[in-house]
Amino acid sequence: MAGNTHDNPEEISRLELEAERTAEALIFASAEPVSEAYLLERLPGTVDLRRVMARLVRLYASRGVNLIRVEDRWAFRTAADLSFVIRRDDTESRKLSRAALEVLAIIAYHQPVTRAEIEEIRGVQTSRGTLDVLMEAGWVRFRGRRRTPGRPVTLGTTPRFLDHFGLEEIRDLPGIEELKGAGLLQGRIPPDFRVPLPSSADELAEDEDPITQLDLEELGLLTPGGTADD
């Protein structure tokens, strides 16, 4: 029918090209991975976002930067085989201590997990400073509260954690064979040893309640009245 742009291949192509350019600009200009919801709000409603993003992924696949997916977010990142040429001597991030690495690994694989459960797995107490370092890096967050006596706070990873370690989703964490191959599991491994399969980093577990504003105030993340405590 005349005037129906959906029947015109050239018009569809033009719309998709404009959508690709818009999505490319939005992601390039953002310091953080851009959500698909954010992109959908700004692209024409007739455009298939999956098709647009798939084309952009292919377009950048062989370039110095790649377009990667982190859960439901998108970001440009240096191609993995070129990461060694990137130097950030002036903004070199603080190296994590062994304790912080252990805690981060436990949270990543066992989330949702409480501080008491972390200490039980490690066999030693976990200092508040260790958790503070991980939270300042933006890799760990408070998820909810466990429905058990005392209602302990549960911990989990963040999209920034996935982005930093080049993971699309938490289930992309290496399994036992990959850890062995990387030399991270050495010596005799108990026959019943297993690497836990991480659960979704977003969905609350059946025994979790969501964090409320009162919880955040209690944890010192919000000042009384509901404003962020910078």
Side-chain angles (χ1 to χ4, degrees), residues 47-62:
V47 169
D48 185 338
L49 180 61
R50 285 189 177 182
R51 207 159 96 173
V52 169
M53 300 313 295
R55 178 177 166 84
L56 283 174
V57 168
R58 291 194 300 270
L59 182 64
Y60 281 92
S62 60

Side-chain angles (χ1 to χ4, degrees), residues 11-227:
E11 182 66 17
I12 293 174
S13 176
R14 185 188 67 78
L15 284 173
E16 287 188 346
L17 179 59
E18 190 61 28
E20 288 170 13
R21 295 180 66 244
T22 302
E24 184 179 30
L26 290 170
I27 297 169
F28 179 81
S30 176
E32 298 290 337
V34 177
S35 71
E36 291 183 350
Y38 181 87
L39 293 173
L40 283 170
E41 289 177 359
R42 288 154 180 80
L43 299 183
T46 56
V47 169
D48 185 338
L49 180 61
R50 285 189 177 182
R51 207 159 96 173
V52 169
M53 300 313 295
R55 178 177 166 84
L56 283 174
V57 168
R58 291 194 300 270
L59 182 64
Y60 281 92
S62 60
R63 297 190 176 183
V65 293
N66 299 150
L67 181 61
I68 65 167
R69 191 169 186 260
V70 182
E71 292 188 322
D72 65 340
R73 297 170 182 269
W74 293 89
F76 283 114
R77 292 293 179 261
T78 303
D81 61 331
L82 295 177
S83 59
F84 71 96
V85 303
I86 304 299
R87 295 290 180 266
R88 294 184 179 178
D89 297 334
D90 55 336
T91 58
E92 185 177 0
S93 59
R94 185 186 343 178
K95 290 185 178 179
L96 293 181
S97 65
R98 178 175 177 178
L101 285 171
E102 289 178 355
V103 171
L104 180 61
I106 291 170
I107 292 173
Y109 280 97
H110 291 267
Q111 61 185 302
V113 63
T114 67
R115 181 171 174 176
E117 290 166 345
I118 293 171
E119 293 175 347
E120 182 179 354
I121 294 170
R122 294 186 66 220
V124 295
Q125 287 189 337
T126 299
S127 71
R128 176 64 197 226
T130 298
L131 288 174
D132 286 344
V133 167
L134 297 176
M135 289 189 171
E136 287 172 8
W139 295 344
V140 168
R141 66 183 175 91
F142 293 120
R143 286 175 47 110
R145 304 205 83 148
R146 186 70 53 76
R147 294 174 188 167
T148 56
R151 290 177 46 78
V153 174
T154 55
L155 298 158
T157 54
T158 66
R160 187 175 294 182
F161 166 83
L162 297 176
D163 186 29
H164 182 85
F165 290 98
L167 303 171
E168 182 173 322
E169 58 182 6
I170 199 66
R171 291 179 182 271
D172 291 334
L173 282 168
I176 188 168
E177 295 303 323
E178 292 168 295
L179 292 172
K180 286 180 183 177
L184 298 175
L185 290 178
Q186 299 176 342
R188 291 192 59 185
I189 300 174
D192 59 345
F193 177 82
R194 65 183 181 83
V195 174
L197 180 65
S199 62
S200 170
D202 292 325
E203 297 177 4
L204 290 173
E206 292 183 358
D207 62 348
E208 274 185 297
D209 286 324
I211 288 280
T212 67
Q213 181 171 311
L214 289 177
D215 293 326
L216 294 175
E217 291 180 6
E218 179 185 327
L219 295 167
L221 300 181
L222 290 182
T223 57
T227 57

